[in-house]
Amino acid sequence: MEAKIKYGRLIETHAHYNLSAFNSNRKELILDLHDMGVERIVIPAIGYESNFDMREKFDKDADYDGIIYYTAGVHPKFVCRLEWDSRYSRTERRELSIAPMIVPLEWDENKDSHMRAFLKDEQTVAVGETGLDYSTFPDNELMKAVQKEFFIRFIGYANKYKKPVVLHIRPFTEKDSAGRLSYIDNRVFTDAIRILKENPIQHGAVMHCFNSSKAVAQEFMAAGVEHFGIGGAIGERASDEFVEMVKWLPLGMLLIETDAPYQKYSIDAPSPVTSETMYQVVARIAEIKNMDPEFVREAAYRNAKRFYNLS
């Protein structure tokens, strides 16, 4: 479908338009975004079942042809199921620090077969989301072990099927009263970097929703990561060290994303977040780098097209 481009062409490198937040206006919104200039949209898998759900929502409608693409995988938060003790309410569990029982996702031959089929599909442009997420239970060793197992498994899929990888690496953090990060537990970065060095990614990787420092970015670059997804985190709540990282980041490593419906650019931004936010992100990055916004936008467009091998 040919866009009527209003705001300049971009590729949304990470948005979840299959989620229920968009049930009321999904098609109208996506086609309106296409007219704005959002030429293509990459929708990453979250839970295992989302790999099917995405295709059920988009593959049967020809109006999405040439617009919607997928990644295949399982988000690290969904490689385990949490089973809570029903004898206690949520408040009681929090007050008593009662942890859930961790039930790993069983990866059998059927799931493996489906994943391989997804990865052979031309609309599947990457593997992911995959990685490590210690944001909720940073000291649960079973959960961390299962996440590491799946992370290595999906790197293997990516290398076999010659796909890039969408990395979700999220630390445990604390925020101050203004919503700014006040503490980051860097153990997840250490674990992820070790896995990447021991299991090299062969066809490219992007750090999805990156909002950390130049030093952390350089560590991941040394482990083979060549792209960083920048979204709403660069808005009004961005830390000084994140702004400095974006100022330093080589333009050829930049990808623009929104993680729609998540990651607001500002506290009072409307919900759900949509890909229109990318234009704010481009403008902010251009301001930080003291560059022409059109130059930044076009570079981000070319980077996304090349990274996802979109002809």
Side-chain angles (χ1 to χ4, degrees):
M1 181 181 294
E2 184 179 354
K4 301 172 185 176
I5 301 181
K6 295 178 181 178
Y7 303 131
R9 60 184 183 173
L10 280 170
I11 293 172
E12 166 66 271
T13 63
H14 196 115
H16 300 284
Y17 285 112
N18 57 309
L19 297 184
S20 60
F22 302 107
N23 281 353
S24 64
N25 67 337
R26 180 177 291 108
K27 183 171 181 177
E28 178 184 5
L29 172 61
I30 289 174
L31 296 183
D32 283 348
L33 289 167
H34 193 249
D35 285 346
M36 286 180 193
V38 182
E39 187 179 274
R40 309 177 206 205
I41 295 169
V42 177
I43 302 181
I46 305 178
Y48 172 71
E49 296 299 332
S50 72
N51 290 279
F52 300 92
D53 175 63
M54 296 186 296
R55 289 161 176 83
E56 179 67 25
K57 284 187 168 73
F58 297 108
D59 280 0
K60 296 178 181 179
D61 191 332
D63 286 343
Y64 294 122
D65 290 354
I67 300 176
I68 300 296
Y69 296 84
Y70 311 114
T71 77
V74 182
H75 188 292
K77 274 196 170 184
F78 290 88
V79 300
C80 295
R81 187 176 77 254
L82 308 182
E83 290 191 357
W84 295 92
D85 191 328
S86 61
R87 293 174 298 175
Y88 300 94
S89 68
R90 179 179 295 183
T91 300
E92 289 172 328
R93 292 196 300 260
R94 183 170 59 249
E95 292 175 346
L96 298 172
S97 299
I98 297 173
M101 183 171 70
I102 306 299
V103 183
L105 174 67
E106 181 183 357
W107 199 256
D108 54 21
E109 290 184 7
N110 187 52
K111 288 185 175 68
D112 174 74
S113 177
H114 280 129
M115 190 57 54
R116 292 176 186 278
F118 292 141
L119 290 167
K120 292 175 183 177
D121 184 351
E122 290 184 356
Q123 278 184 270
T124 302
V125 294
V127 169
E129 299 179 40
T130 188
L132 305 175
D133 190 318
Y134 296 175
S135 63
T136 308
F137 301 104
D139 297 312
N140 189 296
E141 295 303 321
L142 174 58
M143 176 175 283
K144 289 159 71 172
V146 174
Q147 289 187 4
K148 291 172 185 176
E149 175 189 337
F150 273 86
F151 190 9
I152 294 168
R153 172 179 285 125
F154 283 112
I155 290 174
Y157 280 130
N159 290 344
K160 178 175 179 59
Y161 290 96
K162 300 181 179 179
K163 306 281 187 182
V165 180
V166 177
L167 297 172
H168 175 105
I169 312 293
R170 187 176 178 186
F172 175 80
T173 62
E174 293 177 354
K175 295 182 179 181
D176 61 23
S177 58
R180 292 176 180 269
L181 290 177
S182 59
Y183 170 73
I184 300 177
D185 184 337
N186 286 328
R187 285 179 294 174
V188 72
F189 297 142
T190 301
D191 288 351
I193 288 165
R194 183 177 64 252
I195 288 172
L196 290 170
K197 287 183 175 180
E198 294 174 354
N199 304 269
I201 291 173
Q202 297 173 4
H203 300 282
V206 57
M207 283 286 288
H208 150 61
C209 274
F210 190 77
N211 66 346
S212 193
S213 67
K214 172 183 173 181
V216 172
Q218 288 175 323
E219 289 188 66
F220 277 99
M221 288 166 62
V225 177
E226 297 178 345
H227 290 84
F228 295 82
I230 308 298
I234 197 57
E236 63 182 29
R237 290 172 289 177
S239 66
D240 292 341
E241 67 175 10
F242 182 37
V243 171
E244 284 302 309
M245 178 270 172
V246 170
K247 184 176 182 179
W248 161 84
L249 183 69
L251 202 57
M253 292 185 168
L254 171 70
L255 295 181
I256 306 292
E257 60 171 82
T258 64
D259 200 24
Y262 310 114
Q263 210 178 71
K264 289 185 175 184
Y265 184 86
S266 59
I267 295 173
D268 60 352
S271 296
V273 172
T274 77
S275 299
E276 188 171 1
T277 305
M278 287 197 295
Y279 295 99
Q280 287 180 286
V281 173
V282 166
R284 177 62 176 142
I285 292 172
E287 179 184 23
I288 292 169
K289 288 181 165 295
N290 193 26
M291 291 180 176
D292 183 339
E294 284 298 291
F295 184 72
V296 173
R297 180 197 54 74
E298 187 62 24
Y301 171 83
R302 290 195 306 269
N303 293 345
K305 194 172 183 180
R306 182 176 62 252
F307 178 76
Y308 284 124
N309 195 28
L310 296 168
S311 60

